[in-house]
């Protein structure tokens, strides 16, 4: 199958190349393989080490197992509210409708979930979700999903061993392989992906007419992040360099609860399921402070007293939700405010208390990983004492602009799914929506790539050899440069700049300072060097990653400067209000030469039948007067029909 071409580049022909071996990448690859397409899965790390395993709390899907009132329409409403109505409504609709099927599919493939007493998949509460909606396996849900998808890949390979005499005939995983450039055919169509094998340093060109980006986020742009080391914005940058747009890059999620002590594990995620299972946030005075931070747009849905909040767990139909279960952006800002006000914990966080809320045996049953994590790493017994937690960068809502139904970008043959794609979550992602997002849109991207291939026919785009040679020259440059910059020092400076000036709270003056500093750092990043050869050289790997990290930093800063309001994961201290006029604006990043350009485009409009799912009084908080005037009267018959359809779907499972 392989041969060595000119310039010592290994050439591997495929139909579909999936860059990323997490939840969305594996689900996309499985779909392409099920359609009979030769599929390569590129993993920057070892197979099974994907960041998806860090999604601990659960997978959001409106199955109604814990509360029969739940359905896709409620899930859709919660997702739009969480994203402050900046979401692409078609993506939110598809996600809400299809998430249950994707969970049941995993179950059929062997996934284990915690069960209710009557044998259904158990579901837990999470922030921003009206009903218990997260299918879970303790606090190790992401790990179980990755295990299941990997096992499905192995099962397909076993089938291929029987049918084709080769287990890797139709799907093969390339571990520890990094892609540095997407290659076109000279006419703007995808024709391949160029990179290197980390162990040997050997260059490789995956020749394929379709590429699916599933590379996750940009966490390594910030100093304290829950993200794994692979999250250097590779897919975002590859798409940008190939001519695609990135949207919503100003919206960076800072998850409210990460470990703050000891310093060696600062930024390690503390799952939201601690709060979903009854944990509460307290300041140094022992007070549950979240009642002070409920925004007006959410006040009707959240309890005003501790008594009502505690009653909600047993009787959600007659009480309002605890404010600890507000969307993540609200909780992160509240935690940050308490620390700034001098009411933080000894190590600069706040206290998360589950010990006084549940019996020890129940904590050990529901949160085994959290117990082990704190006991082993911080010598804290969470069944007896509170945890010290604080915000850290966790997710980016921004990503490649794609077609909601197919996952295709503006670049022919280029698709994206999961965190690397933009639009689904608007300005803020609800916890649990990430895992179902991976499954729903991973599958859709795989289908989209198959449909594109079928339209393309036998005449495949051929890689532009000049582009291949340029990619090889670019990759070799840090190894051939003498007296250059240390890539680790430049990376540290970028992280410090972004965290201190474009972090949770932003101002115009600070963002401008950041952009000026990034200009200087860009010159240094262009001159990074790595000693030694190309065989497993971490310094070289970091030098190549710096291009992507710099691009992401510039996109986030430029978009943050442009959006003069506060919404979701973007808080401007100098523009604290949320503006209906700005809700109509999506900011898109593109490249003009080497410069990041920001353009404004219209937010996708919501269909009338979806608008009818909301009370007009609620829409007044988000929409302009012009938009409100154009909303037709509700159609009760249509709404009732949709409800009946949702109920029928639930009853068949």
């Amino acid at each position: 199958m392989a041969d060595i071409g000119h310039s010592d580049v290994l050439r591997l022909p495929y139909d579909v190349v999936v860059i990323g071996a997490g939840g969305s990448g594996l689900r996309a690859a499985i779909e392409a393989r099920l359609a009979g397409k030769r599929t390569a899965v590129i993993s920057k790390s070892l197979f099974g080490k994907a960041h998806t395993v860090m999604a601990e709390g659960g997978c959001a899907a409106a199955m109604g197992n814990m509360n029969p009132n739940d359905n896709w329409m409620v899930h859709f409403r919660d997702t739009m509210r969480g994203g402050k109505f900046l979401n692409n409504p078609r993506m939110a609709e598809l996600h809400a409708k299809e998430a249950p099927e994707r969970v049941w599919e995993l179950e059929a493939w062997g996934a284990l979930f915690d069960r209710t007493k009557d044998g259904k998949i158990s579901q837990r509460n999470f922030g921003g979700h009206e009903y218990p909606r997260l299918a879970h396996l303790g606090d190790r849900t992401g790990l179980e999903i990755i295990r299941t998808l990997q096992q499905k890949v192995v099962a397909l390979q076993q089938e291929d061993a029987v049918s084709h005499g080769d287990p890797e005939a139709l799907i093969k995983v390339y571990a520890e392989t990094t892609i540095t450039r997407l290659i076109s055919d000279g006419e703007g169509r995808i024709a391949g992906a160029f990179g290197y094998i980390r162990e040997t340093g050997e260059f490789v060109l995956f020749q394929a007419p379709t590429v699916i980006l599933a590379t996750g986020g940009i966490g390594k742009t910030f100093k304290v992040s829950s993200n794994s080391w692979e999250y250097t914005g590779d897919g975002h940058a590859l798409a940008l360099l190939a001519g695609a747009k990135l949207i919503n890059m100003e919206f960076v999620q800072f998850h409210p609860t990460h470990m703050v002590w000891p310093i060696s594990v600062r930024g390690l995620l503390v799952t939201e399921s601690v709060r979903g299972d009854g944990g509460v946030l307290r300041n140094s005075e022992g007070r549950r402070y979240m009642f002070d931070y409920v925004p007006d747009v959410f006040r009707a849905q959240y309890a005003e007293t501790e008594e009502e909040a505690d009653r909600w767990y047993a009787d959600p139909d007659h009480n309002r939700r605890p404010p600890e279960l507000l969307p993540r952006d609200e909780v992160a800002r509240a935690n940050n405010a308490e620390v700034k006000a001098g009411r933080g914990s000894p190590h600069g966080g706040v206290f998360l208390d589950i010990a006084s809320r549940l019996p020890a045996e129940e904590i050990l049953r529901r949160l085994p990983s959290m117990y082990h994590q704190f006991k082993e790493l911080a010598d804290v017994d969470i069944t007896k004492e509170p945890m010290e937690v604080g915000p850290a960068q966790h997710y980016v809502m921004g990503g490649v602009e794609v077609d909601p139904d197919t996952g295709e970008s503006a670049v022919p043959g280029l698709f994206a799914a999961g965190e690397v794609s933009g639009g689904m979550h608007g300005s803020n992602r609800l916890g649990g929506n990430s895992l179902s997002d991976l499954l729903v849109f991973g599958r859709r991207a795989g289908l989209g790539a198959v449909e594109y291939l079928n339209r393309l026919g036998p005449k495949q785009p051929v890689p532009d050899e000049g582009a291949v040679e340029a990619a090889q020259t670019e990759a070799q440059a840090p190894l051939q440069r003498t007296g250059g910059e240390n890539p680790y020092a430049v990376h540290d400076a970028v992280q410090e700049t972004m965290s201190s000036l474009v972090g949770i709270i932003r101002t115009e003056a600070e963002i401008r300072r950041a952009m000026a500093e990034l200009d200087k750092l860009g010159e240094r990043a262009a001159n990074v060097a790595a000693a030694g050869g190309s065989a497993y050289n971490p310094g070289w790997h970091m030098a190549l990653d710096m291009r992507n990290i710099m691009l992401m930093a510039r996109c986030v800063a430029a978009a943050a400067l442009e959006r003069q309001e506060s919404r979701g994961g973007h808080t401007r201290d100098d523009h604290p209000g949320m503006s209906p006029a700005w809700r109509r604006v999506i900011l898109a990043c593109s490249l003009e030469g080497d410069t990041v350009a920001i353009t404004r485009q219209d937010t996708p409009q919501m269909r009338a039948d979806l608008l009818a799912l909301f009370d007009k009084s609620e829409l007044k908080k988000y929409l302009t007067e012009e938009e409100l005037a154009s909303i037709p009267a509700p159609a009760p018959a249509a709404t009732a029909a949709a409800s009946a359809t949702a109920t029928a779907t639930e009853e068949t499972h």
Side-chain angles (χ1 to χ4, degrees), residues 86 136 156 171 204 248 254 368 398 412 449 467 482 516 560 603 607 610 632 636:
L86 205 75
H136 57 87
L156 291 171
I171 184 167
V204 58
N248 297 338
F254 289 82
T482 56
T603 303
R607 293 196 318 267
L610 297 177

Side-chain angles (χ1 to χ4, degrees), residues 441-465:
F441 294 106
R443 172 181 172 272
R444 281 190 165 270
L447 283 171
V450 169
E451 291 168 2
Y452 175 85
L453 283 168
N454 292 341
R455 292 196 309 269
L456 199 60
K459 192 174 182 180
Q460 304 279 310
V462 178
D464 181 330
E465 291 301 329

Side-chain angles (χ1 to χ4, degrees), residues 374-442:
F374 273 88
K375 190 66 177 171
E376 294 297 318
L377 301 178
D379 196 25
V380 168
D381 185 342
I382 69 170
T383 69
K384 298 177 180 178
E385 55 190 314
M387 303 160 246
E388 283 191 70
V389 299
Q393 193 282 336
H394 181 64
Y395 194 88
V396 61
M397 278 64 74
V400 183
E401 184 177 34
V402 295
D403 176 83
D405 290 77
T406 65
E408 187 170 12
S409 75
V411 177
L414 179 61
F415 299 76
E419 191 173 356
V420 72
S421 66
M424 160 63 199
H425 304 289
S427 66
N428 178 57
R429 176 178 67 80
L430 295 185
N433 271 0
S434 58
L435 287 181
S436 40
D437 170 16
L438 301 178
L439 299 170
V440 169
F441 294 106

Side-chain angles (χ1 to χ4, degrees), residues 44 217-223 228-238 240-241 249 487-488 490-498 518 521-522 525 541-557 596:
K44 190 175 182 180
I218 66 167
K220 295 294 110 175
T221 307
F222 293 85
K223 198 164 190 69
S228 58
W229 64 268
E230 300 100 328
Y231 271 29
T232 52
D234 295 3
H236 288 75
L238 288 170
L240 200 62
L241 290 162
M249 291 302 293
Y488 294 100
V490 179
H491 183 211
D492 185 68
V494 172
Q495 289 182 312
E496 190 65 48
T497 297
M498 292 300 292
L518 289 173
L521 290 169
H541 304 164
M542 185 74 252
L544 296 179
D545 286 341
M546 277 311 304
R547 178 202 68 190
N548 304 339
I549 291 167
M550 283 302 309
L551 278 174
M552 293 309 99
R554 284 174 160 151
C555 283
V556 171
V596 169

Side-chain angles (χ1 to χ4, degrees), residues 78 81 126-130 290-291 294-295 297-305 308-309 312 319-328 330-331 430:
D78 290 344
R81 287 168 180 153
F126 242 53
H129 294 279
E130 186 171 344
M290 281 306 304
F291 295 94
V294 181
V297 294
F298 290 116
R299 195 164 296 280
Q301 290 99 39
Y302 286 83
E304 296 182 29
T305 66
E308 182 185 9
W312 177 84
N319 295 279
R320 290 175 293 177
R321 303 168 61 77
E324 283 87 359
L325 295 180
L326 277 160
R328 288 173 172 176
E330 308 293 354
V331 182
L430 295 185

Side-chain angles (χ1 to χ4, degrees), residues 330-380:
E330 308 293 354
V331 182
R333 280 191 291 270
N335 291 355
N336 192 62
E338 286 294 305
V339 173
K340 282 193 169 184
R343 297 187 291 270
S345 67
H347 298 105
V350 293
F351 294 106
L352 176 58
D353 172 28
I354 191 73
S356 69
R357 309 279 293 173
L358 289 176
E361 60 271 18
E362 192 67 11
I363 295 172
L364 291 171
R365 184 181 73 82
R366 296 190 191 188
L367 303 165
S369 294
M370 287 299 99
Y371 175 81
H372 177 79
Q373 180 174 308
F374 273 88
K375 190 66 177 171
E376 294 297 318
L377 301 178
D379 196 25
V380 168

Side-chain angles (χ1 to χ4, degrees), residues 178-190:
T178 297
I179 299 300
T180 62
R181 280 275 180 174
L182 300 180
I183 304 298
S184 75
D185 63 350
E187 298 179 7
R189 298 184 302 172
I190 288 295

